[in-house]
Amino acid sequence: MSKTVEFLFDLGSPYSYLAWHQLPKVAAAQGAAIVYTPVLLGGIFQATGNASPAEVPAKARYLDVDLQRWAQAWGLQFESNPAFPINTLALMRGAVAMQMQGDEPFQRYMQAMYHAMFGAPRNMGDPAEVAAVLTEAGFDAAQFMAQVGEQAVKDRLKDNTQRAVARGVFGAPSFFVGDELFWGQDRLDQVAQALARA
């Protein structure tokens, strides 16, 4: 496929979870491939002066209602994670490590992690819980912990995040079609239109 849409995500972002479910349908309808780019949302916030809407009490109260509306509209299972916010550094390094191993382990990892974050929520800030989820998904938890500590994995996540900021990204999910940036799962119609023009 010559058409591509780049998807920049963090596993701690519930809106990225919604987009992860919906984007493949958009891409398939436009004959486009998806390029998955793990980024560290906390690093993006720090670099851009942005902050999680969960840190604003009025927004935080609204978030769950909004997320439920989107999930219902798209027929997705969604539950707010009671352990939120969760430090996703290890999880995002894990996404990079699995991506470096190939598409199958990466997609299986994504499915397991997002389900544990927002499908049937578990405390993914607890290393023991992360290990249990990994084991249930067919991964070696000890091997995973070794991989997330590798310098090449750390460097790639850092580079992904820095490049995202340099390209104007300030939150997640973000999408690129060519050099056009789109932010938010509610921009997927615009992503589809951009792919149609590509």
Side-chain angles (χ1 to χ4, degrees):
M1 293 181 183
S2 58
K3 290 184 183 183
T4 61
V5 53
E6 185 178 1
F7 174 42
L8 295 88
F9 68 93
D10 186 306
L11 288 162
S13 161
Y15 287 103
S16 291
Y17 164 81
L18 297 175
W20 174 73
H21 274 287
Q22 201 70 7
L23 183 59
K25 299 174 187 176
V26 172
Q30 298 299 329
I34 302 171
V35 176
Y36 294 90
T37 302
V39 295
L40 191 63
L41 190 53
I44 290 174
F45 285 163
Q46 186 175 21
T48 61
N50 198 3
S52 169
E55 294 179 20
V56 181
K59 281 186 179 179
R61 288 191 295 271
Y62 176 76
L63 277 181
D64 194 50
V65 174
D66 189 53
L67 288 161
Q68 291 292 350
R69 286 173 179 163
W70 280 102
Q72 289 169 12
W74 285 342
L76 303 177
Q77 181 181 352
F78 174 83
E79 291 182 37
S80 293
N81 194 314
F84 191 84
I86 291 169
N87 184 331
T88 59
L89 179 59
L91 301 182
M92 294 313 298
R93 285 177 177 168
V96 169
M98 294 302 151
Q99 193 173 48
M100 291 168 76
Q101 292 183 32
D103 189 61
E104 189 281 328
F106 173 71
Q107 293 295 343
R108 182 158 45 96
Y109 177 80
M110 291 285 287
Q111 176 67 44
M113 292 299 116
Y114 263 141
H115 183 69
M117 285 292 289
F118 302 113
R122 296 161 74 165
N123 183 0
M124 299 305 284
D126 179 352
E129 198 69 22
V130 173
V133 171
L134 287 165
T135 301
E136 290 163 16
F139 293 104
D140 183 319
Q143 184 181 33
F144 172 87
M145 291 310 300
Q147 289 169 329
V148 300
E150 292 175 2
Q151 195 61 47
V153 169
K154 294 179 181 180
D155 288 347
R156 182 172 293 190
L157 179 61
K158 185 176 180 181
D159 183 58
N160 284 354
T161 303
Q162 290 176 338
R163 283 190 301 106
V165 170
R167 295 166 73 194
V169 172
F170 54 88
S174 288
F175 314 90
F176 280 98
V177 178
D179 292 327
E180 279 193 276
L181 167 64
F182 302 88
W183 172 65
Q185 91 299 334
D186 53 346
R187 300 301 193 272
L188 283 176
D189 285 348
Q190 295 176 12
V191 169
Q193 291 165 10
L195 286 170
R197 294 192 300 269

